[in-house]
């Protein structure tokens, strides 16, 4: 996180041609948002590696300030793993191979888990019982 944030600071300039200070970045972000989202001291902690877990909102406004996607701040392996897990889950939902949310889903918001559990219940209820063979189409008379 620190290296990526410092990279952005080093490649950004203010109107006078100098890199922005932590204070300038925080002030600009907070003014644009109309509220305090991040402090210059927290930016300093991030840049020095003393903090490495900002909120997504803080990443979003930092990304907006530096004109990069919030995804810039994530490790590509982590993003790839999350996308792959999501695709595996969606495929399992589509094929009906899912019977319960993955244990790795414990980091998801409760509302999303409730939605997934409800969707899985609907899928399960729509399946014919395992002991009843599927109906065969009737032959035309």
């Amino acid at each position: 996180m620190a290296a990526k944030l410092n990279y952005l600071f080093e490649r950004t300039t203010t109107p006078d041609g100098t890199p922005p200070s932590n204070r300038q970045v925080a002030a600009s972000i907070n003014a644009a948002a109309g509220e305090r989202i991040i402090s210059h001291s927290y930016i300093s902690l991030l840049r020095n590696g003393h903090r490495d877990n900002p909120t997504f909102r803080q990443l979003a406004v930092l990304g907006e300030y530096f004109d990069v996607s919030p995804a810039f701040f994530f490790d590509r392996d982590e993003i790839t793993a999350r996308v792959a897990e999501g695709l595996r889950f969606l495929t399992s939902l589509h094929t009906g191979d899912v019977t319960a949310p993955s244990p790795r889903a414990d980091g998801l918001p409760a509302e999303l888990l409730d939605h997934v559990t409800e969707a899985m219940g609907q899928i399960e209820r729509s399946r014919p019982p395992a002991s009843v063979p599927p109906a065969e189409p009737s032959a035309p008379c």
Side-chain angles (χ1 to χ4, degrees):
M1 170 55 92
K4 290 179 181 184
L5 197 52
N6 285 323
Y7 172 86
L8 293 173
F9 269 87
E10 292 163 6
R11 283 157 182 77
T12 302
T13 57
T14 59
D16 68 1
T18 61
S21 69
N22 297 338
R23 191 175 299 273
Q24 288 170 314
V25 171
S28 178
I29 287 171
N30 295 333
E35 65 180 301
R36 185 174 177 182
I37 295 175
I38 196 164
S39 69
H40 69 279
S41 57
Y42 189 69
I43 292 173
S44 177
L45 291 170
L46 291 171
R47 292 185 70 192
N48 291 316
H50 296 293
R51 297 285 187 281
D52 64 358
N53 194 22
T55 66
F56 184 80
R57 186 167 187 210
Q58 289 170 328
L59 291 177
V61 295
L62 283 167
E64 188 175 317
Y65 179 87
F66 289 108
D67 197 27
V68 299
S69 166
F72 172 83
F73 297 103
F74 291 97
D75 179 22
R76 289 192 178 147
D77 292 338
E78 178 183 342
I79 292 171
T80 301
R82 286 184 180 192
V83 168
E85 177 67 21
L87 290 173
R88 280 191 294 275
F89 177 73
L90 289 174
T91 300
S92 296
L93 262 180
H94 181 70
T95 61
D97 294 336
V98 174
T99 57
S102 165
R104 287 179 271 185
D106 64 358
L108 297 176
E111 183 179 301
L112 181 56
L113 283 174
D114 290 344
H115 180 71
V116 168
T117 302
E118 175 60 28
M120 289 169 32
Q122 288 175 358
I123 291 168
E124 189 62 33
R125 288 187 297 275
S126 69
R127 290 184 189 159
S131 61
V132 176
E136 298 205 18
S138 57
C141 297

